[in-house]
């Protein structure tokens, strides 16, 4: 999959208070860029704790659910758009289907 944008992940973990997110976010990115998903079922098979939402959006739990990624996935084109990276608390106050 093509992940857009690695810079969003970097900007998050380069903040001093989120430095512990560097390894798990880097691992997520490395895994996703080397995989090909053709459906939400493929995502669930790969990340059993991911939540599939409407409109091609998926919520990934990172670092034992300390952080969250919301991605919009275009399966036919093989593109994963990172729409949100944040703490679980930050995730709780946003609308995941409209970010």
């Amino acid at each position: 999959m093509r992940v857009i944008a690695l810079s969003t992940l970097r900007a998050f973990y380069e903040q001093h208070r989120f430095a512990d997110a560097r390894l798990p976010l880097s691992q997520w990115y490395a895994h996703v860029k080397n995989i090909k998903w053709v459906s939400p079922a493929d995502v669930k098979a790969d990340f059993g704790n991911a939540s599939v939402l409407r409109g091609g959006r998926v919520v990934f739990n990172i670092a034992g659910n300390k952080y969250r990624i919301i991605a919009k996935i275009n399966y036919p084109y093989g593109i994963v758009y990172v729409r949100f990276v944040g703490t679980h608390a930050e995730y709780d106050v946003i609308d995941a289907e409209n970010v």
Side-chain angles (χ1 to χ4, degrees):
M1 303 297 287
R2 182 172 171 214
V3 181
I4 299 174
L6 175 58
S7 61
T8 303
L9 301 176
R10 278 193 190 130
F12 182 77
Y13 67 65
E14 286 179 350
Q15 297 176 61
H16 180 71
R17 63 190 173 140
F18 303 126
D20 65 327
R22 181 183 187 125
L23 181 60
L25 288 174
S26 297
Q27 290 172 332
W28 178 87
Y29 174 80
H31 181 79
V32 172
K33 76 176 185 133
N34 290 309
I35 199 97
K36 176 65 176 159
W37 293 321
V38 296
S39 71
D42 292 341
V43 177
K44 285 296 283 181
D46 233 9
F47 291 93
N49 64 355
S51 299
V52 177
L53 307 176
R54 291 180 292 186
R57 292 183 189 254
V58 178
V59 179
F60 295 93
N61 299 317
I62 306 296
N65 210 17
K66 184 174 182 181
Y67 302 110
R68 296 270 177 105
I69 294 174
I70 299 173
K72 182 173 173 87
I73 302 175
N74 184 320
Y75 297 98
Y77 289 95
I79 301 173
V80 176
Y81 301 94
V82 176
R83 307 294 296 158
F84 169 85
V85 182
T87 65
H88 194 136
E90 291 169 334
Y91 169 84
D92 285 342
V93 297
I94 64 167
D95 181 0
E97 292 183 351
N98 292 309
V99 165

